[in-house]
Amino acid sequence: MSYRLGVDVGGTFTDLLLVNEATGGVWSAKVPSTPADQSIGVIKGIARVCARAGIVPTQIDHVMHGTTVATNTVLTGTGALCGLVTTAGFRQVLQIARSFVPGGLGGWVIYNKSLPMAPLSCTIEAHERIGARGEVVVPLDEARLRASLRELRKKNIEALTVSLINSFANAAHEERIGEIAREELPGIPVSLSSRVVPEMQEYERTVTTVANSYVRPRVSRYVHNLTKKLRETTEDVKLHILRSDGGLASAASSQEFPVNLLMSGPAGGVTGAVWVAIQAGFPNLLTLDVGGTSTDVALIQNGVPRLRRETTVGDVTVRASSVDIRTVGAGGGSIAHVPQLTKALRVGPQSAGADPGPAAYKKGGTEPTVTDANIVLGYLPEMQRLGGDLQLDREAAAQAVTTIANALELSVPDAALGIYNIVNENMTGALRLVSVEQGYDPRDYALIAFGGAGPLHANALSRLLGSWPALIPPGPGVLCALGDATTAVRDERSRTFVRTFGNTSASELSGVLRDLAREAAQSLESESVNADDLRTTYEVEVRYRGQGLRLSVNIELSELESCGLGALSARFDAEHKRLFTFALPHEHELVTLRATVQGKGIVVKRPTLAKGGTSPHVAAVGRQPVYMDGKSLTAEVYDRSKLAAGNRIAGPAIVMEMDSTTVILPAHQGVVDDFGNILIYPDEHEALRR
């Protein structure tokens, strides 16, 4: 038998989910992350999950990995020193950026100082020029280029970007510069903008390619080391890395185009959430992924996560497709503090992370965290073992929270409740970014909570947003790993195609889209993906003629060919109206065409629970004092593995499992469905009366 392994490396824990490809059976494991070398935690996790499944690591054929290496490289500013080659006259493309000009100050340009990735001192100019239609206006001066590259070599750059003004129309000069650079700068990785993002708009193309160069050495080193260790353990294993858009990339592609991995980790959770929620009958979702360091949220409409063409990490925004995920520094390890100046409680974004971690972990941490507050409130009972073996120290947690209580002149339980409430408000703000601010009413969506800490906060957040039910899937702490294991290999091709609708036709447009799809399919077939399993989607960026704003519109080729460009303009107008409340009677213009080809994901067996009565008394394992809504109460504690379909859990209650803990507040009930999901509703909700 062969097995597929999903791996998600977080700031505090590394989660693994093993799938038997023949039967769909699953096993999970959770081990502490190893920030100094993430691959160490991965190998330890493989040993643990294989022991639970009763197999040896050599039986694993595929490892699907969601990683934060690229993300953290950007956030911590620890990437490579990059050189940049531009067309003569465009040396300051990164510094000028979008030429932000404040109102009334037309002569002032505020230079972009937030991009230290490719400093001006490491930027050289190539004497060449390609026209906007792809014609050669000025031939490339190779002799001057070689001299400039030799000077650049003295700067000790670690990666090189080549981004010429109109290379999206004709990549010949960039390709030649790449060849020369490999001769003059041996061992230095070279990224060409015409390969990374072959689209118009020189700043966006350049900053995206520079970001690719910035993270490339570190990502390449990590992928290489992980591949080596995996092969020492599992022999002929194939490694794939989760892309920001929820698809998978090969190890080789990940090393060459790591800019597509900037949201790799969070995308796995969204993929897993879609898989769980559709089976549960909730295609419209808000996702809540709460880890040790941050909270990631997204919106899913009709079973499809919303994508965006830009990915933002810290101060860097690049043109790369990603699931529309918003992140806030609010997680189980987020540190609570009271600034001396304001005397107002703050939570995050600083985090205790995995080392030393919250005070309750007894690993040297002393600062109060959200996890410590949950322990003081009784939401994390001392009988709970995080990851199956990490024992919590309530006394250490209370001692840490006491520093907040003293600063605010509150009791320790009230200080802990303040930490809990504030971090909930921080998470609510992120959820509003993907719902209310995008024109969606959160009351029309269920809230699915996962990650190690998500179920602790789900009931409170659903109450704040009016999003019911709060859906807690089985194994919420390893749902990201499930998403990694069940997703499919994906590739994307794009092309700038500026035409007004009157100057093109549906047949011309469909022809270009088919060409793009063919290129993407060829790359997947080289990964041994069966051509019969490929699925293609098409996306077109459209704008009103004369405007800069572009919106992405999905289109089926069959619809385009049968209904013409009118179907495309109608979709664009509808999306424009949804976002801005109006549409314009102006001519439409195409800007960019894109084709995405995806293989077939693995089918994971979703076991159903045995039917039981409404009473969950068989799963009860004890009682726990808790502090909820300013009152001291007693909550029933349940073992989730003993719950049956149809059980109704009345709040206040706590449900424990290996990788997470669920809190059900007073005046709420958790209903266990046929798949083992806990659906939390208020007592008066109509769903409970059916």
Side-chain angles (χ1 to χ4, degrees), residues 610-682:
K611 291 285 187 181
T614 58
S615 173
H617 69 277
V618 173
V621 294
R623 297 171 70 81
Q624 169 78 13
V626 294
Y627 193 70
M628 295 178 172
D629 298 332
K631 299 176 183 178
S632 295
L633 304 169
T634 300
E636 197 76 41
V637 181
Y638 298 92
D639 179 349
R640 187 164 187 174
S641 66
K642 298 178 181 178
L643 291 171
N647 286 172
R648 294 195 173 201
I649 307 164
I654 295 168
V655 183
M656 300 190 307
E657 54 192 307
M658 181 276 291
D659 57 343
S660 190
T661 303
T662 301
V663 170
I664 301 176
L665 298 175
H668 292 75
Q669 292 184 46
V671 180
V672 182
D673 72 4
D674 292 343
F675 297 105
N677 300 301
I678 300 175
L679 311 178
I680 303 174
Y681 295 96

Side-chain angles (χ1 to χ4, degrees), residues 205-224:
R205 181 159 42 85
T206 302
V207 73
T208 300
T209 313
V210 167
N212 191 77
S213 295
Y214 186 69
V215 301
R216 188 171 175 179
R218 191 167 180 180
V219 170
S220 295
R221 188 163 52 249
Y222 173 71
V223 172
H224 173 78

Side-chain angles (χ1 to χ4, degrees), residues 286-337:
L286 292 170
T287 69
L288 176 77
D289 179 5
V290 186
T293 303
S294 62
T295 292
D296 303 310
V297 303
L299 183 140
I300 297 168
Q301 181 80 14
N302 296 323
V304 179
R306 286 184 59 81
L307 298 178
R308 55 178 171 171
R309 186 55 187 145
E310 291 186 334
T311 302
T312 300
V313 176
D315 294 329
V316 179
T317 298
V318 300
R319 183 165 288 178
S321 294
S322 68
V323 177
D324 189 5
I325 296 172
R326 306 301 169 93
T327 302
V328 291
S334 294
I335 297 170
H337 60 286

